[in-house]
Amino acid sequence: MEQRTELNALGEFALIKHLTQYFIPQHESTIKGIGDDAAIVSSDGVHDQVVTTDLLIEGVHFDLMYTPLKHLGYKAVAVNVSDICAMNARPKYITVSFAVSNRFSLEAMEELYSGMQLACEKYGVDLIGGDTSSAPSGLMISITAIGEVLPEKVVTRDGAKLNDLIVVSGDLGGAYLGLQVLEREKEVYKSTPSIQPDLSGFDYLLQRQLKPEARMDVLQFLSDLKIQPTAMIDVSDGLSSDLMHIAKQSMLGCDIYENKIPLAPDTIRVAADFGLDPLTCALNGGEDYELLFTITQTDYEKIKGSPHFSIIGHMTEESTGCRLITKSNEAFNLQAQGWQAFKE
Ligand code: ADP
Ligand code: MG
């Protein structure tokens, strides 16, 4: 009998590993392939190139009931730029491919592309190609981004050293709560279409969910402070899951402290409305697109007064695992509950 294994038996990362295990790089110029925010290839010249790609599917990654197409276009570009930034690289080019059903009009696609254009201008990237197809239903968008970086400046997930400080930009958990607000209003609308959605007072969280920014500015702050991170990742799946990528790939553990995790006042307020713990939103929520990185202890003085960053913990021995230290000094193991591609 032919064997049949369900995709969700593996989980996203194990699946990718399984399918690509026999692909051995054949070029010396492939410096880093699968396994980081972007691949690194050398171009024989001064810079290395970094390449990343993302696929967005209607009904899985976005819901057009509450996502304006212009915002979707902007976000689709921003999340790719974010992966380029996570390599400490400068984004330069994107390609955009989409498959679309006849449910969408020219005007709708113009809206989508106007958002993409806005992001291209904001991040200084050129749209250089793509592919276009019809689809039996819905909308799918795939974007590839290419950036460049000096080889000595590139930052991967595996470079953290014992006792390095763990730093994150901005604040966390907001995008997840923005999504909860939108989902709540959607349910209200579905049961009583005559009621107008009430989204007032949620501006910050909605912006975090609908119009996230890639933190290119953070790379500039770091360069101004003369800090070269030892490892870096963008927070797309939640602090726990993304920090565990750095720890695992650097073969270390980590301790982060509950009272150091940056939470916006709106995040704390609205989490309470939903009966959620804002810390859990930060740890497991995802889509914040902040940069999470490690620096050597000697860089502490340079970064400690900066309003852009929070020092949330440090790297430990691998044997102690990845832990959250609570306000009452209890230690809990972090869990990678981030976004799962094949959840049931
Ligand atoms: P990110 O969350 O930063 O976008 P992912 O979790 O999507 O990264 O991917 C992790 C790594 O696996 C990346 O190096 C990515 O290029 C690679 N990858 C993902 N899907 C595939 C695939 N179908 N085939 C080959 N490599 C893949
Ligand atoms: Mg990433």
Side-chain angles (χ1 to χ4, degrees):
M1 210 174 78
E2 220 177 288
Q3 192 179 339
R4 182 188 156 90
T5 311
E6 298 300 329
L7 287 178
N8 62 18
L10 283 86
E12 186 189 356
F13 300 113
L15 173 66
I16 296 166
K17 215 170 181 172
H18 181 77
L19 293 177
T20 59
Q21 61 187 323
Y22 302 117
F23 289 70
I24 314 291
Q26 302 175 58
H27 301 290
E28 253 178 60
S29 52
T30 304
I31 297 171
K32 182 153 210 149
I34 295 162
D36 220 294
D37 292 293
I40 310 170
V41 294
S42 78
S43 55
D44 303 326
V46 179
H47 291 95
D48 284 346
Q49 312 294 314
V50 295
V51 186
T52 180
T53 193
D54 256 307
L55 179 61
L56 300 174
I57 310 285
E58 184 182 1
V60 179
H61 302 102
F62 58 89
D63 186 334
L64 292 175
M65 280 264 303
Y66 51 68
T67 311
L69 281 162
K70 189 170 178 177
H71 284 75
L72 178 63
Y74 191 94
K75 181 169 174 176
V77 174
V79 302
N80 276 279
V81 169
S82 178
D83 273 326
I84 298 288
C85 291
M87 308 302 287
N88 203 26
R90 194 164 84 89
K92 293 199 76 175
Y93 315 102
I94 57 164
T95 64
V96 174
S97 303
F98 67 84
V100 71
S101 70
N102 60 11
R103 208 181 93 223
F104 293 83
S105 64
L106 171 65
E107 288 74 18
M109 296 312 285
E110 283 174 351
E111 273 295 295
L112 180 75
Y113 267 69
S114 73
M116 290 185 188
Q117 191 191 342
L118 208 61
C120 283
E121 283 163 11
K122 163 100 188 192
Y123 301 120
V125 300
D126 294 342
L127 173 64
I128 58 164
D131 197 16
T132 303
S133 170
S134 61
S137 69
L139 172 65
M140 282 166 260
I141 308 165
S142 174
I143 298 190
T144 297
I146 301 166
E148 70 176 26
V149 56
L150 290 169
E152 65 270 24
K153 291 284 175 195
V154 73
V155 182
T156 54
R157 295 175 178 179
D158 61 5
K161 299 282 178 298
L162 186 64
N163 299 323
D164 277 359
L165 301 174
I166 302 166
V167 185
V168 69
S169 64
D171 59 77
L172 299 172
Y176 177 78
L177 282 165
L179 183 63
Q180 301 316 303
V181 171
L182 290 164
E183 288 282 349
R184 180 173 70 185
E185 290 309 311
K186 178 181 163 180
E187 289 312 312
V188 172
Y189 177 82
K190 276 191 346 202
S191 55
T192 335
S194 57
I195 296 182
Q196 284 298 307
D198 181 15
L199 297 173
S200 56
F202 299 111
D203 298 17
Y204 179 68
L205 302 179
L206 293 174
Q207 177 232 316
R208 296 292 286 168
Q209 170 58 222
L210 293 175
K211 194 171 178 286
E213 297 289 355
R215 297 303 311 261
M216 253 174 90
D217 56 340
V218 161
L219 302 190
Q220 189 60 49
F221 299 148
L222 288 172
S223 143
D224 292 347
L225 294 169
K226 301 205 166 18
I227 291 174
Q228 166 81 3
T230 51
M232 186 150 61
I233 189 168
D234 67 330
V235 184
S236 54
D237 293 351
L239 176 61
S240 282
S241 173
D242 291 319
L243 181 55
M244 285 171 78
H245 284 307
I246 288 185
K248 200 169 172 204
Q249 296 195 24
S250 301
M251 291 186 288
L252 291 170
C254 57
D255 279 357
I256 54 172
Y257 294 85
E258 178 182 5
N259 60 349
K260 306 278 188 202
I261 313 281
L263 303 168
D266 283 11
T267 300
I268 295 167
R269 175 176 61 86
V270 176
D273 285 357
F274 278 90
L276 293 167
D277 178 2
L279 183 72
T280 308
C281 298
L283 290 172
N284 300 326
E287 292 206 289
D288 289 310
Y289 298 103
E290 295 297 339
L291 289 175
L292 173 68
F293 53 93
T294 53
I295 59 172
T296 66
Q297 295 250 355
T298 48
D299 283 338
Y300 172 73
E301 290 296 326
K302 298 182 198 166
I303 208 166
K304 70 170 189 207
S306 169
H308 308 293
F309 300 113
S310 304
I311 303 168
I312 60 171
H314 61 274
M315 302 307 291
T316 58
E317 300 279 2
E318 190 170 24
S319 57
T320 39
C322 292
R323 305 187 302 181
L324 174 78
I325 314 295
T326 65
K327 288 172 189 162
S328 51
N329 219 19
E330 282 177 290
F332 288 97
N333 286 324
L334 288 180
Q335 268 159 10
Q337 290 184 343
W339 190 80
Q340 282 174 334
F342 298 100
K343 64 184 164 218
E344 295 188 62

